[in-house]
Amino acid sequence: MLIERREFEATYLSGAVVAADLGLADVGPTSVSEVAQRAQQIARVTNVPLLVDADSGFGEAMNVARAAQLFVDAGVAALDLEDQVNEALRPPRRQTGRRTCRGHPSRVRRRRGKS
């Protein structure tokens, strides 16, 4: 396998790669089963440790535990888990015509000034 011939120390499977391979946009439509299956296919053909993008664990706490077990069973060495709220569970936001970011410097300065 190419990654072994090039002597890489590890390899990374991103959600974008799995989505593209399935002909999907990288906006979260892939399931944990699809990602775990692709990870298993890669882990099966190489001894190089595989790190997998597990997004936010594919749901709530029980889903994260299930995902972790699927990836362990697939032979994955490590997971990249993000700490974020599942977009599908967020209440709809009112459109105001402007965009802000929670970590935007102007908002941080305003909060510091109020304390």
Side-chain angles (χ1 to χ4, degrees), residues 32 36 54 57-59 61-73 79 81:
V32 65
F58 300 94
M62 292 301 293
N63 299 82
V64 175
R66 178 176 178 264
Q69 187 60 58
L70 285 171
F71 289 118
V72 166
D73 293 346
L79 295 176
L81 283 167

Side-chain angles (χ1 to χ4, degrees), residues 38-62:
R38 181 52 42 102
Q40 183 178 44
Q41 291 167 340
I42 294 169
R44 188 182 303 143
V45 297
T46 183
N47 292 320
V48 176
L50 175 61
L51 169 62
V52 174
D53 177 6
D55 293 318
S56 57
F58 300 94
E60 300 303 314
M62 292 301 293

Side-chain angles (χ1 to χ4, degrees), residues 99-112:
R99 292 180 150 179
T100 59
C101 175
R102 281 189 182 175
H104 192 274
S106 65
R107 295 187 84 188
V108 173
R109 280 193 295 275
R110 277 188 293 203
R111 287 185 184 152
R112 285 186 187 152

